[in-house]
């Protein structure tokens, strides 16, 4: 069954030729339609010019043509402005897409050891006079030395105390 459904080389060649003929006919028809549309548009927008014989009629014609030129320039300007807006929007959206993908590699930042004074001096300039001595602002805490801790240093005395306790428990 697979052999019956296969097309021969000659049959394939004739089908390709038919497809090319149909394609060329469609392209020719489309080209002729574009030419007709262009001619129709030009006939609508630019009627045939009739030159008047008097100076007044000629001045009116010039003013009329001038107004038409101004209108067409305004339309062209509006279309260009809209086109630029759309192109800017497309560019911004492409940038957003690239940002969302995360294609940009973040540069590795060098570690800089800098004191708070040096950092403020770099940010504020030479006007910086405040000294950031953080340790001076800390609270001073005095530690109370316990007598028991000092007594615990003498191990002989500690052993004697424990021996006395042992005797207390044994006597009963």
């Amino acid at each position: 069954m697979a052999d019956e459904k296969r097309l021969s080389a000659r049959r394939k060649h004739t089908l390709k030729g038919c497809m090319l003929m149909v394609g060329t006919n469609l392209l020719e028809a489309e080209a002729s339609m574009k030419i007709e549309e262009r001619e129709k548009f030009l006939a609508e927008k630019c009627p045939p010019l009739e030159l008047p014989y008097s100076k007044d009629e000629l001045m009116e014609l010039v003013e009329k043509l001038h107004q038409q030129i101004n209108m067409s320039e305004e339309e062209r300007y509006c279309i260009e402005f809209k086109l630029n807006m759309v192109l800017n929007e497309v560019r911004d959206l492409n940038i957003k897409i690239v940002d969302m993908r995360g294609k940009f590699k973040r540069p590795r930042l060098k570690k800089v050891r800098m004191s708070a004074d040096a950092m403020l001096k770099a940010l504020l300039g030479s006007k910086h006079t405040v000294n950031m001595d953080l340790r001076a602002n800390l609270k001073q805490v005095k530690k109370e030395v316990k007598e028991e801790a000092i007594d615990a240093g003498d191990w002989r005395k500690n052993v004697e105390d424990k021996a006395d306790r042992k005797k207390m428990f044994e006597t009963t």
Side-chain angles (χ1 to χ4, degrees), residues 42-100:
L42 288 176
E44 185 178 301
K45 293 291 184 178
C46 301
L49 186 60
E50 295 178 11
L51 293 176
Y53 296 111
S54 70
K55 186 176 180 182
D56 294 332
E57 291 176 0
L58 189 61
M59 289 297 285
E60 288 178 16
L61 178 66
V62 169
E63 288 177 8
K64 183 179 174 185
L65 290 175
H66 187 66
Q67 288 175 355
Q68 288 178 350
I69 290 171
N70 284 341
M71 287 177 46
S72 64
E73 286 293 320
E74 286 178 12
E75 289 177 14
R76 185 181 63 85
Y77 177 76
C78 289
I79 291 172
E80 282 182 7
F81 183 75
K82 288 177 184 178
L83 176 69
N84 287 334
M85 284 181 53
V86 169
L87 290 177
N88 287 336
E89 186 178 352
V90 168
R91 191 179 313 119
D92 291 342
L93 291 175
N94 283 335
I95 289 171
K96 283 183 183 179
I97 288 170
V98 170
D99 287 343
M100 285 182 179

